[in-house]
Amino acid sequence: MEAGGLEWLLVPMQQLVSWGAAGAMVFGGVVPYIPQYRDIRRTQNAEGFSTYVCLVLLVANILRILFWAGEDKSCMFGLHIFWTSLLPPILVQIRHKLMNWLVCSADLVFPLRSADSKDEEIKAPPKRSYLDFDLNYFWHWSKFTDYVQCVLTFTGVTGYITYLWLDSSLFVETLGFLAVFTEAMLGVPQLYRNYQNRSTEGMSVKMVLMWTSGDTFKTVYFILNQAPFQFSICGLLQVFVDIAILLQVYLYSYYPQKPASHTAHPASTKAL
């Protein structure tokens, strides 16, 4: 009787928690990059942040959209699928296009602000374009529109391939694994960038702390809601990468290495 009397309270509470968790999944992925965005905008220097983070998450979320389209065709345009699975990657793409735009701006502006003397010749980085098809400068282009063209090309090609193989369950499951595995590698470019610089200067520690808390929550959410197995495994891998970056913050703070120079130069845009 007592349990039945509490049912009127438990059911709305469960729904509230479920919607709260879904809301966190949607907007929680956007919030961590705000501190990094503000740091880059304040310093006009993006050297400490790996732009490949943007590439990895854009690719992962495009694949995730295609995976859900193939996994549940009957309700792929339903409210629940859109809210918990499609809207987050759409917001992620908007966010990281903005991050790429900001990094492009910083790469162009920072050299003009870093001259040691009036007599020093200021040389702007050579202009690079997506249509040059130069792998040495992939994802280090001069204009924001080049990044948009690359993302649209990748979306169109993968979307067409997915359409052709939509009826293959093996292809759809492979697509899902690639999506979550790519997202699990999100922090690896930043981990390697910190290793190259022997410093975490220019990287927002707040961003990494939010990564860790968000990825932990996301992994628990996947496990409790019995999401596909690959989601949980790759979520755990993502948490381990976050922890490794936090260890770098500790090591480079208390046992400083010789940092790489942060003086802007034409080749700086080629660094990972």
Side-chain angles (χ1 to χ4, degrees):
M1 187 70 179
E2 184 177 350
L6 293 176
E7 185 177 352
W8 67 272
L9 179 62
L10 293 177
V11 173
M13 285 294 294
Q14 290 176 349
Q15 292 178 345
L16 183 62
V17 171
S18 177
W19 280 100
M25 293 283 288
V26 172
F27 299 104
V30 179
V31 174
Y33 294 90
I34 295 177
Q36 184 68 65
Y37 176 90
R38 295 179 63 184
D39 287 348
I40 296 175
R41 190 171 182 82
R42 185 183 70 254
T43 62
Q44 290 297 310
N45 182 8
E47 190 175 350
F49 175 72
S50 175
T51 56
Y52 284 112
V53 170
C54 302
L55 173 62
V56 169
L57 206 52
L58 284 170
V59 170
N61 283 277
I62 290 169
L63 294 177
R64 183 157 61 142
I65 290 174
L66 297 175
F67 166 71
W68 282 111
E71 181 73 11
D72 202 338
K73 307 180 194 68
S74 61
C75 62
M76 61 176 291
F77 296 109
L79 178 61
H80 177 72
I81 294 297
F82 178 79
W83 176 255
T84 61
S85 301
L86 299 184
L87 184 57
I90 290 171
L91 292 179
V92 163
Q93 293 193 52
I94 295 173
R95 173 192 68 205
H96 281 282
K97 285 185 174 67
L98 290 174
M99 289 290 289
N100 279 327
W101 170 81
L102 181 63
V103 170
C104 287
S105 302
D107 284 341
L108 294 175
V109 172
F110 185 69
L112 303 179
R113 300 178 57 179
S114 62
D116 294 328
S117 65
K118 295 182 180 180
D119 297 330
E120 182 180 353
E121 183 180 0
I122 301 175
K123 296 182 179 179
K127 291 185 178 181
R128 302 292 177 181
S129 171
Y130 165 68
L131 296 179
D132 292 338
F133 300 109
D134 188 347
L135 293 179
N136 292 325
Y137 291 91
F138 178 76
W139 208 251
H140 292 295
W141 303 303
S142 303
K143 295 182 179 179
F144 173 70
T145 52
D146 293 313
Y147 294 91
V148 177
Q149 291 175 30
C150 179
V151 172
L152 291 178
T153 301
F154 177 78
T155 303
V157 171
T158 53
Y160 180 70
I161 294 174
T162 303
Y163 173 76
L164 294 178
W165 292 86
L166 199 60
D167 294 329
S168 172
S169 59
L170 177 61
F171 175 82
V172 173
E173 291 301 319
T174 302
L175 195 65
F177 173 77
L178 289 176
V180 294
F181 181 75
T182 304
E183 186 176 0
M185 296 293 102
L186 169 66
V188 173
Q190 190 62 53
L191 186 73
Y192 183 64
R193 183 63 172 268
N194 295 341
Y195 173 76
Q196 279 189 319
N197 292 342
R198 299 296 192 273
S199 170
T200 56
E201 181 183 354
M203 181 199 73
S204 174
V205 179
K206 293 179 181 178
M207 176 186 70
V208 182
L209 288 173
M210 291 182 184
W211 275 358
T212 308
S213 59
D215 293 337
T216 302
F217 172 83
K218 178 177 64 178
T219 303
V220 173
Y221 178 84
F222 286 154
I223 294 174
L224 294 180
N225 285 273
Q226 298 181 344
F229 182 68
Q230 62 265 31
F231 279 61
S232 302
I233 295 299
C234 291
L236 290 172
L237 178 59
Q238 196 167 358
V239 172
F240 291 147
V241 174
D242 296 339
I243 294 174
I245 296 177
L246 291 176
L247 287 176
Q248 283 184 322
V249 175
Y250 172 79
L251 291 174
Y252 293 144
S253 297
Y254 290 92
Y255 304 97
Q257 310 288 318
K258 183 179 179 180
S261 173
H262 288 280
T263 303
H265 51 81
S268 66
T269 55
K270 285 186 64 179
L272 176 61

